[in-house]
Amino acid sequence: MLRESFIRYLTTEKQVSSHTLSAYLRDLDKCAAFFATKKKDLFDTEQIQAIHHRELRAWLGAVKKEGLSSRSLGRHLSSVKTYFKFLRNSQYLEHNPAANLSLPRSTSQLPVFLKEAETERLFGADLFPASFTGKRDQSIMELLYGCGLRREELIQLTHEGVALRERQLKVVGKRSKERIIPFGKHVMEALETYLQYKREKGLPPEGPLLVRKGGEPLYPKLVYRVVQKYLSVAANVSKRSPHVLRHTFATHLLNRGADINAIKEMLGHESLAATQVYTHTSIEKLKDTHKQAHPRASKGASKDKS
């Protein structure tokens, strides 16, 4: 009962994506399995009353011993805290045992992104075959880098949301919020070529924009595999996920002097704080510029001998 109520809350009130919903439930079910070994049902309205803060700390300790990354640990904790907060707000619980549950603070990791030379190598070489799949994959890569899309946003793109002549996309982001993102000629050319191949296959010019050979929509793992495939050839980065291209989009715009508020709008961030993580690269670039150009910035600066 409680699990189903939580699912309704996530889908109707929070309006999370299907990918986020799966992550919440996967983490929560893992926590439920831990409590099942203690003969307690995390989804039972009676037994949930007996869950104590120290037991949740024991669960968190067990998860930490698995050797997960700090990001994965944080996601597990967020999923469980969201569940217990929902139970408290919905009057299923009198007290929230997860309210003060937290992880030790760790140094935040800077986003991984491609250098401009790597993006030139990625899109400049003939990496994408002259076929339906090849040109679709090229469109995937161009859209992720050229528009800074999230993976779920890319999958949900429709023909109706693309205005080639105006060079802009209508994107449905988190909590079903729509935003308009402009794109450049490289994205436009990639889409035009892909759409030509799509017409030749007799696939309909409506519904999902990016599809598989038979016209079926893309799915998250397919997008991940496409990105991993091409980044492994063209870039030397520690991570090869769709989000790396989103990070690259924001970092390159900021380095080229784009207004951070405009970047925030294009990324669909709720607050400016989420966008400010990208300023680290601009600061480093400013340091380099200052060191090279300012007469008193380096140790070897000339002295006035007059």
Side-chain angles (χ1 to χ4, degrees), residues 262-273:
I263 297 172
K264 168 184 170 290
E265 294 302 315
M266 286 187 280
L267 289 173
H269 283 162
E270 292 284 337
S271 68
L272 192 61

Side-chain angles (χ1 to χ4, degrees), residues 4-275:
E4 288 72 24
S5 297
F6 185 54
I7 291 173
R8 284 196 296 273
Y9 161 72
L10 292 175
T11 54
T12 58
E13 291 191 40
K14 293 200 73 174
Q15 296 183 329
V16 301
S17 68
S18 58
H19 178 69
T20 302
L21 176 63
S22 297
Y24 269 116
L25 296 180
R26 186 167 57 249
D27 296 339
L28 190 57
D29 288 341
K30 189 173 177 180
C31 183
F34 172 85
F35 279 96
T37 64
K38 300 180 178 299
K39 311 299 182 186
K40 291 185 178 180
D41 187 346
L42 208 63
F43 304 123
D44 183 84
T45 53
E46 297 273 339
Q47 296 184 39
I48 195 70
Q49 309 300 326
I51 302 295
H52 194 274
H53 175 77
R54 63 174 175 270
E55 292 175 306
L56 286 169
R57 286 183 61 83
W59 159 76
L60 189 57
V63 174
K64 287 174 68 176
K65 287 179 181 178
E66 295 178 9
L68 300 177
S69 67
S70 58
R71 183 174 179 179
S72 294
L73 282 171
R75 195 201 65 220
H76 277 71
L77 179 59
S78 176
S79 298
V80 171
K81 284 175 72 74
T82 300
Y83 176 63
F84 277 94
K85 185 178 180 180
F86 157 74
L87 295 179
R88 176 68 186 91
N89 291 343
S90 302
Q91 307 300 314
Y92 288 112
L93 283 174
E94 187 175 345
H95 302 289
N96 180 357
N100 297 318
L101 197 64
S102 63
L103 288 169
R105 287 191 177 182
S106 59
T107 55
S108 58
Q109 292 184 339
L110 295 175
V112 175
F113 62 94
L114 278 64
K115 298 175 182 177
E116 289 194 28
E118 290 175 316
T119 58
E120 289 298 321
R121 188 157 62 243
L122 175 63
F123 295 111
D126 295 326
L127 295 181
F128 305 97
S131 64
F132 170 80
T133 301
K135 295 308 175 184
R136 181 207 62 194
D137 291 353
Q138 184 174 2
S139 294
I140 288 174
M141 302 296 285
E142 289 281 7
L143 284 163
L144 289 172
Y145 171 62
C147 300
L149 303 181
R150 300 179 178 95
R151 178 170 56 178
E152 194 69 22
E153 293 170 347
L154 176 88
I155 292 171
Q156 292 179 0
L157 283 177
T158 64
H159 278 270
E160 295 75 18
V162 179
L164 283 175
R165 182 176 297 178
E166 292 81 6
R167 293 190 188 178
Q168 62 186 39
L169 299 175
K170 181 186 290 184
V171 176
V172 180
K174 290 184 176 181
R175 295 174 175 83
S176 299
K177 290 185 177 179
E178 291 186 354
R179 66 185 190 278
I180 302 297
I181 304 177
F183 56 79
K185 69 171 185 177
H186 295 297
V187 174
M188 183 187 71
E189 289 169 357
L191 285 175
E192 285 178 336
T193 304
Y194 160 70
L195 290 173
Q196 178 62 35
Y197 275 93
K198 194 175 183 182
R199 284 191 294 270
E200 290 174 1
K201 286 183 71 68
L203 296 173
E206 66 267 342
L209 176 70
L210 300 164
V211 296
R212 289 175 273 168
K213 289 181 180 179
E216 306 89 349
L218 303 183
Y219 53 92
K221 280 192 176 180
L222 187 152
V223 176
Y224 183 88
R225 288 200 300 266
V226 168
V227 173
Q228 190 176 46
K229 172 184 175 181
Y230 289 103
L231 288 190
S232 64
V233 174
N236 182 25
V237 286
S238 58
K239 293 182 180 179
R240 299 185 181 96
S241 69
H243 230 65
V244 168
L245 291 172
R246 177 171 161 87
H247 293 325
T248 304
F249 163 83
T251 302
H252 288 182
L253 279 177
L254 203 57
N255 284 349
R256 291 296 188 102
D259 179 71
I260 193 169
N261 285 292
I263 297 172
K264 168 184 170 290
E265 294 302 315
M266 286 187 280
L267 289 173
H269 283 162
E270 292 284 337
S271 68
L272 192 61
T275 317

